[in-house]
Amino acid sequence: MDSADQLTDLISPVPVTHLTAVLARWLWDGHRAAAELQELRRDDERGVWANPVSYGTDRYQYLVTTAASLCTEVDDLQPDRGFQSLLLKLPRAALYPLSAPQGPDGPLGMASDLRRELLGEGERQELALLSRRELWVEGRDLVLLPWQGNEDAGLVGLWAGKGVRQRGEGSRVDWEWLVELDLTGGNGQAALFPTGPRRPRPRAHRDFA
């Protein structure tokens, strides 16, 4: 079974094209919303205070806080914000979105303790009858959703795959299988969200006595 067939089987009956479209809209909206807040930080009478940390934090908070909206678009999807992170649970698969600034073969964002535990299948778990991974995934297959994007371009890449953390390689993943999700096939970002001017934003009104 090739990579695309493995993904199709795990998320069935949800079509891959539909899941791609929903995730692309959500991720694109997160990038756009965070970028709009950066514009507010560039428009301050004391000076520009836009910065990558604020942008990344705003984008992350948008995604984890609005994940519940995906339930109206994907049948049987259950967002789970356990352990201060996010899983998108389907009956047979637990989807874990994570930032991949250099694509799925590069380091996948910050290697937190939780992320190392989730990606460390097969490694010994000390002093625990059940690991956080087992408690959170609840018997589903863990499917990673690495995505790539930035403030200027928005979402530029999205993948789905199964893998474990490479030993001695930080947050790099050794992929058992990996498929690139099509953002340009009529259902993804390129068709639904062409780049263009952002919506007008109100200017802050300052009225000092």
Side-chain angles (χ1 to χ4, degrees), residues 115-182:
R115 181 166 294 178
R116 283 192 291 267
E117 189 170 331
L118 285 174
L119 304 187
E121 186 177 28
E123 294 183 2
R124 182 184 178 191
Q125 300 296 330
E126 298 288 347
L127 301 178
L129 295 175
L130 288 174
S131 67
R132 286 186 297 181
R133 174 191 169 110
E134 292 169 313
L135 289 170
W136 202 18
V137 173
E138 296 180 307
R140 298 171 175 85
D141 283 324
L142 181 65
V143 177
L144 308 181
L145 295 175
W147 51 262
Q148 185 178 22
N150 56 59
E151 181 181 352
D152 295 328
L155 178 68
V156 298
L158 177 62
W159 297 263
K162 186 174 182 180
V164 297
R165 181 170 58 91
Q166 295 178 4
R167 293 182 180 275
E169 292 291 337
S171 58
R172 294 179 187 271
V173 173
D174 182 12
W175 296 103
E176 178 181 328
W177 58 265
L178 180 71
V179 59
E180 183 172 6
L181 301 180
D182 182 12

